[in-house]
Amino acid sequence: MSRSEHTARHTIRVGLGKRSYDIVAGRTMRPALVQVLETKRVGEKIVLITDAIVGALYLRDTERVLRRAGYAVTSLVIPQGESQKNLSRVGSLYTSMLKAGVDRKSTILALGGGVIGDLAGFVAATYQRGITLIQMPTTLLAQVDSSVGGKVGVNHPLGKNMIGAFYQPLFVWADADFLDTLPFREVVCGMGEIVKYGIIKDASLFKYLESHLEQILQLSRAPTDYVRLRCLEIKAEIVSKDERESGLRSVLNLGHTIGHSLEAAGSYRVLKHGEAVLLGTVAESYLAKELGLLPEEDFQRIVRLINRIPIRVNIRQFHLPRILGSLKLDKKSTDKKNRFVLPVRIGEVKTVEGISERLISSSLKFLSSARSRT
Ligand SMILES: NC(=O)c1ccc[n+]([C@@H]2O[C@H](COP(=O)([O-])OP(=O)(O)OC[C@H]3O[C@@H](n4cnc5c(N)ncnc54)[C@H](O)[C@@H]3O)[C@@H](O)[C@H]2O)c1
Ligand SMILES: [Zn+2]
């Protein structure tokens, strides 16, 4: 591949009327950042929020680029990890920002993975009734999914993502150069959302994953760029049609109902979000197959693809009642009925309510036997 292809930038528009914005995706994009900030008339005060790992790798360079262009940068670095996505961390960020004199014309730049995007996004949505937000995702998961769509928020002790808002960024800046330092486990997490996009909307993306999986797991450039762009296009399209999840957007929850309960069963410390989504997708595909919605052949393809993705967590350590218990707390469940997004073929899903606990239990048993065979 030629250098010009490496550095090519693509712009995907998220069409939301006045709140429309661009996702800029490519490689080696840092030299162009300042120009885009100027075009978008970003004010001179920037609050850069990042975590300690991303900060150690990218903070100095990012600050330097911004300061050289005349921006006043306040950097706030928090510890890494899902456990930071909570209200007390939100409070401490507010305090630092107030002390630093951050005002309504300031801009928050969220530099990091989905945790930073969700957390800093929530701070941006609420600080002085909302200040400008730029998403600069640095994980594969964030670059294919979480940085787009405006869902921001934090966890509550009683449930994941229970406190939040819809708050769209000014733009999303997805530079694949960041992925060079990503640990393999985080690449696996990104695959959780990528496989999801194939199943919910794009059979040819799924087929591409079947033939290029190992290359993508190694972050080979051309295949990674292709899937990144395709996922971003699909997410942009879905969000444009249903920003607040009144219907269509819920398809993005494939694998997430059981996925969230697996995350919760391990107290958010055992499984990472993307890993839980992969496992949840297997279990939910089993439900679909057992209900006669998903053809056996498509089911087998889904299980085979996900089984090729190494998840180094033994899910047998989870107790079934604990998983079932946290399913009941999931926000997508109504009082009486649970609700699942299930595949009807590769490339299409539908919502199904009221699945019996017995069937859910057997899907979890299937999951643990499917994983132990790999
Ligand atoms: N808002 C949404 O629509 C949406 C969608 C999907 C997931 N999410 C949320 O996203 C979160 C998961 O995001 P994630 O998987 O990006 O996790 P994360 O933000 O915790 O990042 C994973 C790890 O990778 C490190 N890291 C990040 N970028 C790096 C880089 N370039 N090089 C080296 N290390 C790097 C981080 O420090 C962290 O330790 C969950 O909280 C989930 O709920 C939100
Ligand atoms: Zn997700």
Side-chain angles (χ1 to χ4, degrees):
M1 193 190 259
S2 74
R3 194 177 150 70
S4 65
E5 277 172 280
H6 281 164
T7 53
R9 268 183 285 148
H10 298 265
T11 300
I12 298 164
R13 187 79 175 155
V14 185
L16 286 170
K18 274 193 201 150
R19 292 183 308 290
S20 295
Y21 57 96
D22 289 340
I23 306 163
V24 190
R27 287 181 183 269
T28 320
M29 289 165 44
R30 204 173 49 212
L33 176 63
V34 166
Q35 192 194 329
V36 175
L37 292 173
E38 278 164 17
T39 314
K40 305 271 179 197
R41 295 172 191 270
V42 170
E44 69 174 22
K45 282 191 199 167
I46 293 182
V47 183
L48 209 160
I49 300 182
T50 193
D51 72 28
I53 293 178
V54 180
L57 291 163
Y58 301 110
L59 185 61
R60 270 199 17 218
D61 273 4
T62 314
E63 280 179 342
R64 194 182 315 133
V65 168
L66 295 173
R67 288 196 177 125
R68 213 183 277 155
Y71 292 96
V73 185
T74 302
S75 294
L76 303 175
V77 183
I78 64 165
Q80 67 84 32
E82 181 73 28
S83 62
Q84 293 300 312
K85 244 178 78 172
N86 65 56
L87 281 174
S88 77
R89 180 54 69 193
V90 170
S92 75
L93 289 168
Y94 291 152
T95 305
S96 306
M97 288 164 64
L98 288 165
K99 284 185 179 161
V102 174
D103 60 24
R104 295 194 56 200
K105 289 189 182 145
S106 306
T107 297
I108 287 186
L109 197 160
L111 175 70
V115 166
I116 288 292
D118 284 12
L119 174 70
F122 185 70
V123 171
T126 46
Y127 185 79
Q128 300 192 5
R129 296 192 185 80
I131 63 174
T132 304
L133 168 68
I134 296 169
Q135 291 280 9
M136 200 179 278
T138 62
T139 61
L140 183 61
L141 181 140
Q143 291 201 0
V144 296
D145 192 333
S146 65
S147 63
V148 176
K151 273 195 184 178
V152 295
V154 294
N155 303 325
H156 185 277
L158 293 181
K160 188 172 156 68
N161 295 332
M162 284 291 152
I163 314 296
F166 287 99
Y167 196 67
Q168 303 297 343
L170 180 66
F171 63 91
V172 177
W173 190 254
D175 187 341
D177 280 5
F178 288 125
L179 305 181
D180 290 345
T181 51
L182 204 60
F184 181 71
R185 189 173 179 191
E186 303 304 336
V187 179
V188 167
C189 287
M191 289 309 301
E193 309 288 1
I194 292 170
V195 171
K196 172 185 87 178
Y197 282 106
I199 300 173
I200 62 176
K201 200 78 183 150
D202 187 349
S204 62
L205 171 63
F206 190 92
K207 205 166 167 201
Y208 188 85
L209 295 174
E210 289 177 316
S211 54
H212 293 79
L213 182 73
E214 283 69 28
Q215 284 160 275
I216 298 164
L217 287 171
Q218 288 161 17
L219 294 177
S220 298
R221 292 191 168 205
T224 308
D225 288 348
Y226 168 71
V227 297
R228 245 170 23 115
L229 280 180
R230 196 58 205 115
C231 294
L232 289 169
E233 277 167 5
I234 299 171
K235 179 131 191 201
E237 187 194 331
I238 291 172
V239 169
S240 300
K241 288 182 182 152
D242 180 21
E243 182 183 16
R244 293 186 156 246
E245 198 170 320
S246 43
L248 174 72
R249 186 169 176 167
S250 65
V251 301
L252 295 169
N253 295 326
L254 173 75
H256 282 61
T257 307
I258 290 184
H260 280 166
S261 65
L262 292 169
E263 273 182 283
S267 305
Y268 301 99
R269 285 190 297 269
V270 181
L271 277 172
K272 294 189 168 240
H273 177 73
E275 294 169 333
V277 171
L278 284 167
L279 299 174
T281 302
V282 171
E284 292 178 13
S285 301
Y286 177 90
L287 296 177
K289 191 242 331 171
E290 288 295 302
L291 291 168
L293 299 168
L294 177 69
E296 175 76 31
E297 191 199 327
D298 285 16
F299 170 68
Q300 293 299 344
R301 284 177 67 197
I302 293 171
V303 174
R304 267 201 306 274
L305 180 68
I306 296 180
N307 272 348
R308 282 164 62 195
I309 303 173
I311 300 173
R312 298 194 181 99
V313 176
N314 179 2
I315 62 155
R316 289 178 166 220
Q317 61 189 293
F318 298 143
H319 296 296
L320 210 60
R322 186 141 184 226
I323 305 175
L324 293 170
S326 55
L327 253 181
K328 291 190 182 129
L329 273 174
D330 192 273
K331 67 179 170 199
K332 284 175 287 301
S333 306
T334 57
D335 279 349
K336 293 190 190 94
K337 289 178 180 166
N338 53 36
R339 180 183 297 171
F340 288 83
V341 172
L342 299 182
V344 295
R345 63 177 178 84
I346 289 170
E348 191 183 340
V349 287
K350 71 179 253 189
T351 302
V352 178
E353 286 187 341
I355 294 182
S356 76
E357 208 164 290
R358 231 185 62 208
L359 187 54
I360 298 172
S361 295
S362 31
S363 77
L364 295 167
K365 283 177 196 143
F366 171 79
L367 179 62
S368 89
S369 70
R371 291 307 298 187
S372 60
R373 271 187 264 118
T374 59

